[in-house]
Amino acid sequence: MTAHLTVFEREAPSASAIDESLRSTKSSVFWLEDAPHASYPQLTASHTADLTVVGGGYTGLWTAVLAKRRDPSARVVLLEAQTIGWAASGRNGGFAEASLTHGDENGRARWPDEFDTLERMGLENLDAIERDVAELKMDVQFERTGTLSVAYEPHQVQWLKGAEAGVYLDRDAVRKTIDSPIFAAGRREEHLSALVHPGRLAAELARVATDLGVEIFEQSSVTGLRTRGSGVSVETARGVVKSAKVALGTNVFRPLLRRSRLSTVPVYDYVLMSEPLSAAQMDDIGWRGREGLTDMANQFHYSRLSADNRILYGGYDAIYHAGRRVRPEYEDRQSSYRTLASHFLTTFPQLEGLSFSHQWGGAIDTSTQFCAFHGLARRGRVAYAAGFTGLGVAATRFAAEVMLDRLAGDPTPRTQLEMVRKKPLPFPPEPLAKIGIEATKWSLDRADHREGQRNVLLRTLDRLGLGFDS
Ligand SMILES: Cc1cc2nc3c(=O)[nH]c(=O)nc-3n(C[C@H](O)[C@H](O)[C@H](O)COP(=O)(O)OP(=O)(O)OC[C@H]3O[C@@H](n4cnc5c(N)ncnc54)[C@H](O)[C@@H]3O)c2cc1C
Protein backbone atom coordinates (compact mmCIF):
# COMPACT_ATOMS: atom_id res chain seq x y z
CA MET A 1 0.00 0.00 0.00
CA THR A 2 1.33 3.46 -0.87
CA ALA A 3 1.82 6.02 1.89
CA HIS A 4 -0.44 9.06 1.93
CA LEU A 5 0.17 12.43 3.49
CA THR A 6 -1.99 13.13 6.53
CA VAL A 7 -4.26 16.17 6.50
CA PHE A 8 -1.77 17.95 8.77
CA GLU A 9 0.89 17.56 6.07
CA ARG A 10 -1.44 18.33 3.14
CA GLU A 11 -2.92 21.44 4.73
CA ALA A 12 0.03 22.69 6.79
CA PRO A 13 -0.01 26.41 7.66
CA SER A 14 2.88 28.76 6.80
CA ALA A 15 5.97 28.74 9.03
CA SER A 16 5.35 32.43 9.76
CA ALA A 17 1.83 31.72 11.08
CA ILE A 18 3.31 29.11 13.44
CA ASP A 19 6.07 31.52 14.55
CA GLU A 20 3.50 34.22 15.21
CA SER A 21 1.26 31.98 17.31
CA LEU A 22 4.21 30.97 19.52
CA ARG A 23 5.94 34.40 19.67
CA SER A 24 5.04 35.18 23.31
CA THR A 25 4.33 31.71 24.71
CA LYS A 26 5.79 31.02 28.14
CA SER A 27 6.84 27.63 29.43
CA SER A 28 4.59 27.30 32.42
CA VAL A 29 1.60 25.14 33.38
CA PHE A 30 -1.54 27.27 33.02
CA TRP A 31 -3.59 25.01 35.33
CA LEU A 32 -1.10 25.35 38.17
CA GLU A 33 -0.86 29.13 37.74
CA ASP A 34 -4.65 29.32 37.73
CA ALA A 35 -5.20 27.23 40.88
CA PRO A 36 -4.98 28.38 44.51
CA HIS A 37 -2.06 26.73 46.24
CA ALA A 38 -1.93 26.27 49.99
CA SER A 39 1.54 25.37 51.27
CA TYR A 40 1.97 22.36 53.46
CA PRO A 41 4.92 21.83 55.85
CA GLN A 42 7.84 19.47 55.38
CA LEU A 43 8.01 16.35 57.56
CA THR A 44 10.73 17.16 60.09
CA ALA A 45 9.88 14.82 62.97
CA SER A 46 8.69 11.29 63.46
CA HIS A 47 4.98 10.54 63.36
CA THR A 48 2.65 7.64 63.82
CA ALA A 49 -0.48 7.04 61.74
CA ASP A 50 -2.98 4.37 60.80
CA LEU A 51 -2.42 4.95 57.08
CA THR A 52 0.46 6.66 55.29
CA VAL A 53 -0.20 7.74 51.73
CA VAL A 54 2.78 8.40 49.45
CA GLY A 55 2.18 10.82 46.56
CA GLY A 56 0.22 14.07 46.37
CA GLY A 57 -1.39 13.51 42.95
CA TYR A 58 -4.99 12.39 42.45
CA THR A 59 -4.27 8.77 43.43
CA GLY A 60 -2.78 9.71 46.79
CA LEU A 61 -5.24 12.53 47.45
CA TRP A 62 -8.37 10.45 46.71
CA THR A 63 -6.95 7.66 48.88
CA ALA A 64 -6.50 10.04 51.80
CA VAL A 65 -9.96 11.62 51.36
CA LEU A 66 -11.77 8.29 50.99
CA ALA A 67 -9.85 6.74 53.90
CA LYS A 68 -11.12 9.49 56.18
CA ARG A 69 -14.62 9.09 54.80
CA ARG A 70 -14.52 5.36 55.60
CA ASP A 71 -13.15 5.95 59.08
CA PRO A 72 -13.17 9.57 60.31
CA SER A 73 -11.13 8.60 63.38
CA ALA A 74 -8.25 7.12 61.33
CA ARG A 75 -4.96 9.04 61.49
CA VAL A 76 -3.91 9.60 57.89
CA VAL A 77 -0.63 11.19 56.80
CA LEU A 78 0.14 12.08 53.15
CA LEU A 79 3.75 12.61 52.02
CA GLU A 80 4.51 14.43 48.75
CA ALA A 81 8.05 14.71 47.36
CA GLN A 82 7.49 18.18 45.84
CA THR A 83 4.20 20.10 45.96
CA ILE A 84 0.58 18.91 45.74
CA GLY A 85 -0.47 18.25 42.14
CA TRP A 86 2.76 19.49 40.51
CA ALA A 87 3.12 16.40 38.28
CA ALA A 88 0.60 14.77 35.89
CA SER A 89 -2.34 15.61 38.15
CA GLY A 90 -1.78 19.35 37.74
CA ARG A 91 -0.86 19.41 34.07
CA ASN A 92 -3.24 17.07 32.23
CA GLY A 93 -6.04 17.77 29.76
CA GLY A 94 -8.74 17.49 32.40
CA PHE A 95 -10.78 14.86 30.53
CA ALA A 96 -12.46 12.83 33.31
CA GLU A 97 -13.61 9.70 31.50
CA ALA A 98 -15.81 6.89 32.76
CA SER A 99 -13.63 4.26 31.09
CA LEU A 100 -11.39 2.36 33.51
CA THR A 101 -9.84 0.43 30.62
CA HIS A 102 -8.52 3.17 28.32
CA GLY A 103 -11.52 2.82 26.06
CA ASP A 104 -14.02 0.11 25.17
CA GLU A 105 -11.89 -1.64 22.56
CA ASN A 106 -9.01 -2.26 24.96
CA GLY A 107 -11.36 -3.28 27.78
CA ARG A 108 -13.37 -5.69 25.64
CA ALA A 109 -10.25 -7.29 24.17
CA ARG A 110 -8.51 -7.85 27.51
CA TRP A 111 -11.39 -8.60 29.88
CA PRO A 112 -14.29 -9.75 27.68
CA ASP A 113 -16.05 -11.62 30.49
CA GLU A 114 -16.17 -8.72 32.89
CA PHE A 115 -16.27 -5.81 30.49
CA ASP A 116 -19.92 -4.97 31.25
CA THR A 117 -19.09 -4.81 34.95
CA LEU A 118 -16.06 -2.64 34.29
CA GLU A 119 -18.17 -0.32 32.17
CA ARG A 120 -20.81 0.00 34.89
CA MET A 121 -18.21 0.54 37.62
CA GLY A 122 -16.49 3.19 35.50
CA LEU A 123 -19.72 5.11 35.05
CA GLU A 124 -20.49 4.81 38.77
CA ASN A 125 -16.99 6.13 39.47
CA LEU A 126 -17.52 9.20 37.27
CA ASP A 127 -20.95 9.78 38.83
CA ALA A 128 -19.33 9.53 42.28
CA ILE A 129 -16.80 12.20 41.31
CA GLU A 130 -19.61 14.47 40.16
CA ARG A 131 -21.43 13.87 43.47
CA ASP A 132 -18.28 14.48 45.55
CA VAL A 133 -17.54 17.70 43.68
CA ALA A 134 -21.02 18.99 44.51
CA GLU A 135 -21.23 17.68 48.09
CA LEU A 136 -17.73 18.76 49.06
CA LYS A 137 -18.21 22.11 47.28
CA MET A 138 -15.06 21.62 45.23
CA ASP A 139 -14.39 24.55 42.92
CA VAL A 140 -12.95 22.50 40.03
CA GLN A 141 -14.95 23.81 37.04
CA PHE A 142 -16.55 20.37 36.55
CA GLU A 143 -18.59 20.26 33.31
CA ARG A 144 -20.33 17.03 32.22
CA THR A 145 -19.87 17.90 28.55
CA GLY A 146 -19.23 14.52 26.95
CA THR A 147 -16.81 14.13 24.07
CA LEU A 148 -16.72 14.62 20.34
CA SER A 149 -14.42 12.24 18.43
CA VAL A 150 -13.66 13.38 14.90
CA ALA A 151 -12.34 11.79 11.73
CA TYR A 152 -10.17 13.53 9.14
CA GLU A 153 -9.57 10.69 6.68
CA PRO A 154 -11.97 8.25 4.94
CA HIS A 155 -10.72 5.20 6.89
CA GLN A 156 -11.30 7.07 10.16
CA VAL A 157 -14.87 7.86 9.03
CA GLN A 158 -15.44 4.11 8.63
CA TRP A 159 -14.07 3.49 12.15
CA LEU A 160 -16.47 6.08 13.56
CA LYS A 161 -19.41 4.58 11.69
CA GLY A 162 -18.60 1.18 13.20
CA ALA A 163 -18.28 2.48 16.79
CA GLU A 164 -21.14 1.86 19.23
CA ALA A 165 -21.31 4.57 21.87
CA GLY A 166 -22.91 7.91 21.11
CA VAL A 167 -24.37 9.41 17.96
CA TYR A 168 -22.68 9.42 14.54
CA LEU A 169 -22.42 12.88 12.94
CA ASP A 170 -21.77 13.40 9.23
CA ARG A 171 -19.60 16.21 7.91
CA ASP A 172 -22.30 18.88 8.12
CA ALA A 173 -23.48 17.83 11.56
CA VAL A 174 -19.99 17.65 13.03
CA ARG A 175 -19.13 21.08 11.63
CA LYS A 176 -22.27 22.50 13.23
CA THR A 177 -20.95 21.22 16.56
CA ILE A 178 -17.37 22.44 16.19
CA ASP A 179 -16.42 24.08 12.95
CA SER A 180 -13.24 22.85 11.33
CA PRO A 181 -12.81 22.43 7.57
CA ILE A 182 -10.86 19.19 8.14
CA PHE A 183 -13.58 17.36 10.11
CA ALA A 184 -15.08 14.69 7.86
CA ALA A 185 -17.32 13.06 10.48
CA GLY A 186 -17.76 12.81 14.25
CA ARG A 187 -19.26 10.79 17.04
CA ARG A 188 -20.78 12.62 19.99
CA GLU A 189 -21.03 10.92 23.35
CA GLU A 190 -22.78 12.85 26.12
CA HIS A 191 -22.58 10.93 29.39
CA LEU A 192 -19.30 9.09 29.61
CA SER A 193 -16.97 11.98 30.29
CA ALA A 194 -16.64 15.36 31.92
CA LEU A 195 -14.09 18.16 31.99
CA VAL A 196 -12.37 19.46 35.10
CA HIS A 197 -9.73 22.07 35.90
CA PRO A 198 -6.85 19.71 36.70
CA GLY A 199 -4.86 22.03 38.99
CA ARG A 200 -7.94 22.97 40.98
CA LEU A 201 -8.95 19.33 41.34
CA ALA A 202 -5.61 18.57 43.02
CA ALA A 203 -5.72 21.71 45.19
CA GLU A 204 -9.34 21.10 46.19
CA LEU A 205 -8.74 17.44 47.04
CA ALA A 206 -5.90 18.58 49.31
CA ARG A 207 -8.21 21.18 50.88
CA VAL A 208 -10.92 18.58 51.49
CA ALA A 209 -8.37 16.10 52.86
CA THR A 210 -7.08 18.71 55.31
CA ASP A 211 -10.63 19.62 56.37
CA LEU A 212 -11.21 15.94 57.11
CA GLY A 213 -8.09 15.86 59.29
CA VAL A 214 -5.45 14.40 56.93
CA GLU A 215 -1.95 15.70 57.70
CA ILE A 216 -0.22 16.66 54.44
CA PHE A 217 3.52 17.15 54.13
CA GLU A 218 5.19 18.57 51.01
CA GLN A 219 8.89 18.49 50.09
CA SER A 220 8.98 15.14 51.87
CA SER A 221 10.32 12.56 49.47
CA VAL A 222 9.99 8.98 50.68
CA THR A 223 13.31 7.19 50.40
CA GLY A 224 12.34 3.75 51.65
CA LEU A 225 9.78 1.49 53.25
CA ARG A 226 10.76 -0.77 56.12
CA THR A 227 8.38 -3.47 57.29
CA ARG A 228 8.77 -3.99 61.03
CA GLY A 229 6.60 -6.07 63.34
CA SER A 230 3.00 -5.28 62.53
CA GLY A 231 3.69 -1.96 60.81
CA VAL A 232 5.63 -0.14 58.11
CA SER A 233 8.14 2.68 58.58
CA VAL A 234 8.00 5.19 55.75
CA GLU A 235 11.31 7.02 55.64
CA THR A 236 12.11 10.54 54.46
CA ALA A 237 15.34 12.51 54.85
CA ARG A 238 14.09 14.34 57.94
CA GLY A 239 11.48 12.11 59.54
CA VAL A 240 9.81 8.71 59.63
CA VAL A 241 6.10 7.86 59.71
CA LYS A 242 5.22 4.55 61.35
CA SER A 243 1.84 3.19 60.39
CA ALA A 244 -0.11 -0.02 60.08
CA LYS A 245 -0.82 0.43 56.35
CA VAL A 246 0.68 2.29 53.40
CA ALA A 247 -0.85 3.30 50.05
CA LEU A 248 1.50 4.19 47.20
CA GLY A 249 0.36 6.67 44.54
CA THR A 250 3.75 7.43 43.05
CA ASN A 251 2.80 6.98 39.39
CA VAL A 252 5.75 7.17 36.93
CA PHE A 253 8.29 8.06 39.58
CA ARG A 254 10.89 5.60 40.85
CA PRO A 255 8.80 2.89 42.50
CA LEU A 256 9.41 2.20 46.17
CA LEU A 257 8.74 -1.50 45.56
CA ARG A 258 11.28 -3.43 43.49
CA ARG A 259 8.53 -5.49 41.87
CA SER A 260 7.12 -2.38 40.14
CA ARG A 261 10.40 -1.23 38.55
CA LEU A 262 9.56 -2.43 35.02
CA SER A 263 5.80 -1.90 35.17
CA THR A 264 5.56 1.63 33.76
CA VAL A 265 7.46 3.88 31.40
CA PRO A 266 7.21 7.69 31.45
CA VAL A 267 6.17 8.98 28.03
CA TYR A 268 6.21 12.76 27.60
CA ASP A 269 3.16 14.45 26.17
CA TYR A 270 3.00 18.17 25.27
CA VAL A 271 0.30 20.82 25.44
CA LEU A 272 -0.40 24.36 24.24
CA MET A 273 -2.89 26.73 25.84
CA SER A 274 -4.20 29.70 23.85
CA GLU A 275 -5.17 33.17 24.98
CA PRO A 276 -8.91 33.47 25.73
CA LEU A 277 -10.96 33.61 22.53
CA SER A 278 -13.02 36.72 21.83
CA ALA A 279 -16.79 36.41 21.31
CA ALA A 280 -16.21 36.74 17.57
CA GLN A 281 -13.60 33.96 17.58
CA MET A 282 -15.98 31.74 19.55
CA ASP A 283 -18.67 32.40 16.95
CA ASP A 284 -16.21 31.32 14.26
CA ILE A 285 -15.75 27.87 15.76
CA GLY A 286 -19.12 27.18 17.43
CA TRP A 287 -18.26 24.66 20.18
CA ARG A 288 -21.33 25.69 22.17
CA GLY A 289 -21.60 22.26 23.80
CA ARG A 290 -18.00 22.71 25.14
CA GLU A 291 -17.31 18.99 24.44
CA GLY A 292 -13.91 17.45 25.01
CA LEU A 293 -12.55 17.03 21.48
CA THR A 294 -10.38 14.15 20.31
CA ASP A 295 -9.63 12.38 17.04
CA MET A 296 -9.27 8.91 15.56
CA ALA A 297 -5.59 8.97 14.54
CA ASN A 298 -3.17 6.57 16.20
CA GLN A 299 -1.14 9.64 17.09
CA PHE A 300 -4.18 11.48 18.37
CA HIS A 301 -4.78 15.04 19.55
CA TYR A 302 -7.03 16.22 22.39
CA SER A 303 -8.49 19.64 22.82
CA ARG A 304 -10.93 21.50 25.07
CA LEU A 305 -12.11 24.90 26.23
CA SER A 306 -11.19 26.33 29.63
CA ALA A 307 -13.69 28.27 31.74
CA ASP A 308 -12.43 31.54 30.22
CA ASN A 309 -12.60 30.11 26.67
CA ARG A 310 -8.96 29.39 26.04
CA ILE A 311 -8.29 26.35 23.87
CA LEU A 312 -6.02 23.62 25.25
CA TYR A 313 -4.49 21.59 22.42
CA GLY A 314 -2.26 18.60 23.16
CA GLY A 315 -1.16 15.12 22.20
CA TYR A 316 0.29 13.72 18.95
CA ASP A 317 3.97 13.47 19.97
CA ALA A 318 4.80 10.87 22.63
CA ILE A 319 8.45 11.04 23.64
CA TYR A 320 10.23 8.35 25.59
CA HIS A 321 13.73 8.87 27.00
CA ALA A 322 15.83 5.74 27.49
CA GLY A 323 16.21 4.58 31.05
CA ARG A 324 12.65 5.51 32.16
CA ARG A 325 13.91 8.93 33.20
CA VAL A 326 11.68 11.69 34.57
CA ARG A 327 13.52 15.01 34.37
CA PRO A 328 12.47 18.68 34.45
CA GLU A 329 14.30 19.38 31.15
CA TYR A 330 12.03 16.89 29.35
CA GLU A 331 8.99 19.08 30.15
CA ASP A 332 9.90 21.54 27.40
CA ARG A 333 10.22 20.51 23.75
CA GLN A 334 10.11 23.23 21.11
CA SER A 335 9.71 20.88 18.15
CA SER A 336 6.60 19.33 19.76
CA TYR A 337 5.14 22.80 20.40
CA ARG A 338 5.72 23.75 16.75
CA THR A 339 4.04 20.55 15.57
CA LEU A 340 1.05 21.23 17.84
CA ALA A 341 0.77 24.87 16.69
CA SER A 342 0.89 23.71 13.07
CA HIS A 343 -1.82 21.06 13.61
CA PHE A 344 -3.95 23.56 15.54
CA LEU A 345 -3.85 26.06 12.65
CA THR A 346 -4.70 23.30 10.18
CA THR A 347 -7.70 22.43 12.35
CA PHE A 348 -8.84 26.00 12.96
CA PRO A 349 -7.50 28.19 10.13
CA GLN A 350 -10.14 30.79 11.05
CA LEU A 351 -8.23 31.36 14.31
CA GLU A 352 -4.97 32.44 12.64
CA GLY A 353 -3.68 35.37 14.69
CA LEU A 354 -4.62 33.74 18.03
CA SER A 355 -1.56 33.39 20.30
CA PHE A 356 -0.63 30.62 22.66
CA SER A 357 0.03 31.93 26.17
CA HIS A 358 1.36 28.73 27.79
CA GLN A 359 3.22 25.56 26.79
CA TRP A 360 4.19 22.58 28.93
CA GLY A 361 4.78 18.87 28.98
CA GLY A 362 4.34 16.04 31.43
CA ALA A 363 5.08 12.37 31.86
CA ILE A 364 2.31 9.92 30.99
CA ASP A 365 2.17 6.84 33.21
CA THR A 366 2.22 4.16 30.51
CA SER A 367 1.67 0.45 31.23
CA THR A 368 1.60 -2.42 28.74
CA GLN A 369 -2.16 -2.95 29.28
CA PHE A 370 -2.91 0.79 28.74
CA CYS A 371 -4.66 1.16 32.08
CA ALA A 372 -3.91 0.99 35.77
CA PHE A 373 -2.69 -2.07 37.63
CA HIS A 374 -3.33 -2.59 41.33
CA GLY A 375 -1.36 -4.61 43.84
CA LEU A 376 -0.68 -5.51 47.43
CA ALA A 377 2.76 -6.15 48.96
CA ARG A 378 4.50 -6.68 52.30
CA ARG A 379 1.97 -9.19 53.60
CA GLY A 380 -1.03 -7.01 52.91
CA ARG A 381 0.32 -3.82 54.45
CA VAL A 382 1.31 -1.89 51.32
CA ALA A 383 -1.12 -1.25 48.44
CA TYR A 384 -0.18 0.37 45.15
CA ALA A 385 -1.79 1.54 41.91
CA ALA A 386 -0.15 3.08 38.84
CA GLY A 387 0.01 2.92 35.05
CA PHE A 388 -3.10 4.91 34.07
CA THR A 389 -1.62 5.53 30.59
CA GLY A 390 -2.93 9.05 30.16
CA LEU A 391 -6.42 8.29 31.46
CA GLY A 392 -6.14 8.74 35.19
CA VAL A 393 -8.19 11.84 35.98
CA ALA A 394 -11.24 9.77 36.93
CA ALA A 395 -9.70 6.27 37.21
CA THR A 396 -7.47 7.37 40.11
CA ARG A 397 -10.55 7.61 42.35
CA PHE A 398 -11.45 4.01 41.51
CA ALA A 399 -7.84 2.97 42.17
CA ALA A 400 -7.96 4.68 45.55
CA GLU A 401 -11.08 2.66 46.48
CA VAL A 402 -9.32 -0.52 45.35
CA MET A 403 -6.26 0.22 47.49
CA LEU A 404 -8.44 0.88 50.55
CA ASP A 405 -10.51 -2.27 49.90
CA ARG A 406 -7.36 -4.32 49.68
CA LEU A 407 -5.76 -2.83 52.77
CA ALA A 408 -9.00 -3.54 54.69
CA GLY A 409 -8.55 -7.19 53.70
CA ASP A 410 -12.13 -8.18 52.87
CA PRO A 411 -12.97 -9.04 49.24
CA THR A 412 -15.24 -6.55 47.45
CA PRO A 413 -16.69 -6.54 43.91
CA ARG A 414 -13.78 -4.29 42.96
CA THR A 415 -11.05 -6.55 44.33
CA GLN A 416 -12.63 -9.60 42.67
CA LEU A 417 -12.12 -8.14 39.19
CA GLU A 418 -9.63 -9.92 36.99
CA MET A 419 -8.45 -6.47 35.88
CA VAL A 420 -7.56 -5.73 39.51
CA ARG A 421 -6.14 -9.15 40.42
CA LYS A 422 -3.87 -9.74 37.42
CA LYS A 423 -0.71 -7.79 36.68
CA PRO A 424 0.23 -6.64 33.17
CA LEU A 425 3.41 -7.86 31.53
CA PRO A 426 6.38 -5.62 32.35
CA PHE A 427 8.21 -3.52 29.77
CA PRO A 428 11.60 -5.05 28.88
CA PRO A 429 14.79 -3.61 30.38
CA GLU A 430 16.96 -1.21 28.34
CA PRO A 431 18.04 -1.07 25.59
CA LEU A 432 15.06 -3.23 24.52
CA ALA A 433 12.49 -0.85 26.01
CA LYS A 434 13.76 2.10 23.94
CA ILE A 435 14.12 0.03 20.77
CA GLY A 436 10.65 -1.50 21.17
CA ILE A 437 8.92 1.81 21.95
CA GLU A 438 10.59 3.61 19.01
CA ALA A 439 9.66 0.78 16.63
CA THR A 440 6.05 0.87 17.86
CA LYS A 441 5.85 4.67 17.51
CA TRP A 442 7.25 4.45 13.98
CA SER A 443 4.69 1.76 13.13
CA LEU A 444 1.80 3.82 14.52
CA ASP A 445 2.89 6.82 12.46
CA ARG A 446 3.12 4.60 9.34
CA ALA A 447 -0.39 3.28 10.04
CA ASP A 448 -1.70 6.87 10.12
CA HIS A 449 -0.11 7.33 6.67
CA ARG A 450 -1.48 4.03 5.29
CA GLU A 451 -5.20 4.29 5.86
CA GLY A 452 -4.86 2.85 9.35
CA GLN A 453 -3.31 -0.47 8.16
CA ARG A 454 -1.31 -2.02 11.00
CA ASN A 455 2.03 -3.63 10.16
CA VAL A 456 3.39 -6.98 11.38
CA LEU A 457 4.85 -5.50 14.55
CA LEU A 458 1.57 -3.85 15.59
CA ARG A 459 -0.45 -6.95 14.72
CA THR A 460 1.93 -9.11 16.77
CA LEU A 461 1.74 -6.75 19.75
CA ASP A 462 -2.07 -6.72 19.43
CA ARG A 463 -2.09 -10.53 19.52
CA LEU A 464 0.19 -10.63 22.57
CA GLY A 465 -1.92 -8.04 24.36
CA LEU A 466 1.16 -5.81 24.56
CA GLY A 467 1.70 -2.34 23.37
CA PHE A 468 2.56 1.26 23.86
CA ASP A 469 0.18 4.19 24.03
CA SER A 470 -0.02 7.62 25.61
C1 LIG B 1 0.15 16.15 29.56
C2 LIG B 1 -0.78 15.15 30.19
C3 LIG B 1 -2.11 15.11 29.80
C4 LIG B 1 -2.99 14.19 30.38
N1 LIG B 1 -4.31 14.27 30.07
C5 LIG B 1 -5.20 13.46 30.70
C6 LIG B 1 -6.60 13.62 30.49
O1 LIG B 1 -7.05 14.53 29.80
N2 LIG B 1 -7.43 12.72 31.09
C7 LIG B 1 -6.97 11.74 31.92
O2 LIG B 1 -7.76 10.97 32.43
N3 LIG B 1 -5.64 11.63 32.20
C8 LIG B 1 -4.76 12.47 31.63
N4 LIG B 1 -3.43 12.38 31.93
C9 LIG B 1 -3.00 11.37 32.92
C10 LIG B 1 -3.34 11.80 34.37
O3 LIG B 1 -2.92 13.12 34.57
C11 LIG B 1 -2.66 10.85 35.33
O4 LIG B 1 -3.04 9.51 35.02
C12 LIG B 1 -3.03 11.12 36.79
O5 LIG B 1 -2.85 12.47 37.11
C13 LIG B 1 -2.18 10.22 37.68
O6 LIG B 1 -2.30 10.66 39.01
P1 LIG B 1 -1.29 10.10 40.09
O7 LIG B 1 -1.65 10.69 41.40
O8 LIG B 1 -1.22 8.62 40.00
O9 LIG B 1 0.13 10.62 39.61
P2 LIG B 1 0.85 12.03 39.70
O10 LIG B 1 -0.05 13.16 39.44
O11 LIG B 1 2.08 11.91 38.85
O12 LIG B 1 1.29 12.11 41.21
C14 LIG B 1 2.27 11.28 41.75
C15 LIG B 1 2.90 12.07 42.91
O13 LIG B 1 3.70 11.20 43.67
C16 LIG B 1 4.80 11.95 44.13
N5 LIG B 1 5.86 11.00 44.47
C17 LIG B 1 6.46 10.10 43.63
N6 LIG B 1 7.41 9.40 44.31
C18 LIG B 1 7.37 9.87 45.59
C19 LIG B 1 8.14 9.57 46.77
N7 LIG B 1 9.10 8.62 46.76
N8 LIG B 1 7.86 10.26 47.91
C20 LIG B 1 6.87 11.19 47.93
N9 LIG B 1 6.14 11.53 46.84
C21 LIG B 1 6.40 10.88 45.70
C22 LIG B 1 5.16 12.82 42.94
O14 LIG B 1 5.95 13.94 43.34
C23 LIG B 1 3.79 13.20 42.41
O15 LIG B 1 3.32 14.43 42.93
C24 LIG B 1 -2.52 13.26 31.36
C25 LIG B 1 -1.19 13.29 31.74
C26 LIG B 1 -0.32 14.23 31.18
C27 LIG B 1 1.11 14.25 31.63
Side-chain angles (χ1 to χ4, degrees):
M1 173 173 293
T2 51
H4 300 277
L5 295 179
T6 69
V7 69
F8 299 105
E9 292 153 346
R10 296 194 303 271
E11 314 276 339
S14 66
S16 61
I18 297 171
D19 291 342
E20 198 48 44
S21 71
L22 292 170
R23 191 169 302 285
S24 52
T25 315
K26 63 172 168 174
S27 293
S28 173
V29 182
F30 170 80
W31 301 126
L32 293 175
E33 277 183 18
D34 192 50
H37 181 70
S39 296
Y40 298 92
Q42 191 181 29
L43 184 78
T44 52
S46 288
H47 269 253
T48 53
D50 297 303
L51 173 69
T52 307
V53 178
V54 185
Y58 302 144
T59 303
L61 290 163
W62 276 118
T63 307
V65 166
L66 297 173
K68 285 300 271 186
R69 187 181 273 170
R70 289 179 184 210
D71 179 2
S73 67
R75 289 165 303 163
V76 179
V77 167
L78 185 148
L79 301 172
E80 162 54 44
Q82 298 197 31
T83 51
I84 291 298
W86 76 272
S89 295
R91 58 183 67 215
N92 60 72
F95 287 57
E97 306 225 347
S99 176
L100 300 172
T101 58
H102 210 279
D104 289 7
E105 206 182 322
N106 189 46
R108 268 187 221 288
R110 286 178 199 277
W111 302 285
D113 296 339
E114 65 184 28
F115 180 71
D116 291 347
T117 310
L118 288 167
E119 205 179 20
R120 175 179 52 75
M121 286 184 169
L123 188 56
E124 286 168 2
N125 179 58
L126 182 59
D127 289 342
I129 292 175
E130 182 165 15
R131 230 178 12 255
D132 285 346
V133 164
E135 280 172 14
L136 300 167
K137 298 193 173 26
M138 293 165 70
D139 173 16
V140 299
Q141 298 172 0
F142 184 98
E143 301 178 76
R144 192 86 182 237
T145 56
T147 42
L148 179 69
S149 305
V150 295
Y152 313 120
E153 313 287 351
H155 67 275
Q156 297 171 352
V157 174
Q158 293 314 314
W159 290 345
L160 274 184
K161 279 188 176 157
E164 278 176 22
V167 178
Y168 175 78
L169 305 175
D170 65 14
R171 181 187 297 270
D172 285 350
V174 73
R175 289 193 59 175
K176 278 193 189 115
T177 311
I178 301 176
D179 194 10
S180 163
I182 66 167
F183 292 174
R187 191 167 265 278
R188 168 107 171 77
E189 201 298 310
E190 291 186 4
H191 302 294
L192 298 178
S193 75
L195 295 176
V196 293
H197 183 308
R200 286 179 188 232
L201 179 57
E204 283 286 81
L205 281 169
R207 195 258 309 156
V208 169
T210 310
D211 289 351
L212 292 170
V214 174
E215 283 185 89
I216 296 180
F217 296 95
E218 292 182 324
Q219 309 298 342
S220 303
S221 179
V222 173
T223 50
L225 304 175
R226 244 176 242 282
T227 320
R228 285 208 186 100
S230 60
V232 186
S233 292
V234 178
E235 300 170 338
T236 74
R238 303 187 60 192
V240 174
V241 185
K242 289 185 187 156
S243 57
K245 310 273 169 158
V246 174
L248 301 177
T250 57
N251 200 22
V252 289
F253 299 89
R254 190 181 159 77
L256 290 159
L257 297 171
R258 185 176 292 277
R259 65 170 71 178
S260 300
R261 296 248 155 106
L262 297 177
S263 302
T264 57
V265 291
V267 176
Y268 279 80
D269 185 44
Y270 297 90
V271 175
L272 294 175
M273 183 66 113
S274 79
E275 296 286 2
L277 271 64
S278 66
Q281 286 169 322
M282 285 300 292
D283 280 346
D284 282 345
I285 53 168
W287 215 335
R288 287 181 191 85
R290 304 181 59 79
E291 301 85 353
L293 173 64
T294 182
D295 64 48
M296 299 299 289
N298 284 305
Q299 291 186 284
F300 66 94
H301 308 79
Y302 54 89
S303 183
R304 60 164 291 185
L305 294 168
S306 65
D308 59 351
N309 287 340
R310 296 163 184 271
I311 298 180
L312 175 139
Y313 192 76
Y316 188 75
D317 270 346
I319 307 299
Y320 173 68
H321 299 275
R324 296 174 164 74
R325 292 193 191 98
V326 180
R327 289 193 174 156
E329 58 267 34
Y330 298 156
E331 291 170 14
D332 227 4
R333 192 167 189 270
Q334 290 309 315
S335 63
S336 292
Y337 299 139
R338 285 191 70 80
T339 303
L340 284 171
S342 172
H343 293 190
F344 177 90
L345 289 167
T346 297
T347 310
F348 297 119
Q350 66 273 47
L351 295 182
E352 192 172 325
L354 181 71
S355 306
F356 294 106
S357 56
H358 295 74
Q359 60 191 16
W360 69 88
I364 299 266
D365 38 8
T366 306
S367 80
T368 57
Q369 66 181 15
F370 305 155
C371 59
F373 53 88
H374 313 79
L376 201 58
R378 310 277 173 106
R379 282 179 282 145
R381 292 178 205 144
V382 179
Y384 57 94
F388 298 89
T389 318
L391 215 59
V393 171
T396 42
R397 188 188 185 286
F398 181 85
E401 295 277 28
V402 171
M403 285 202 282
L404 293 171
D405 286 352
R406 283 208 146 159
L407 289 172
D410 295 325
T412 68
R414 283 183 286 256
T415 62
Q416 302 290 300
L417 291 167
E418 192 189 334
M419 184 197 77
V420 165
R421 284 184 290 111
K422 288 209 173 148
K423 301 287 170 309
L425 288 167
F427 285 96
E430 298 294 0
L432 287 178
K434 176 79 177 159
I435 293 167
I437 288 171
E438 290 306 326
T440 311
K441 273 173 54 180
W442 180 86
S443 304
L444 289 170
D445 183 53
R446 286 298 85 197
D448 281 337
H449 286 83
R450 289 169 192 265
E451 300 175 5
Q453 297 290 324
R454 295 169 86 76
N455 65 12
V456 176
L457 173 64
L458 294 180
R459 290 201 304 273
T460 308
L461 292 175
D462 291 344
R463 261 199 310 280
L464 294 173
L466 268 171
F468 158 82
D469 202 351
S470 62

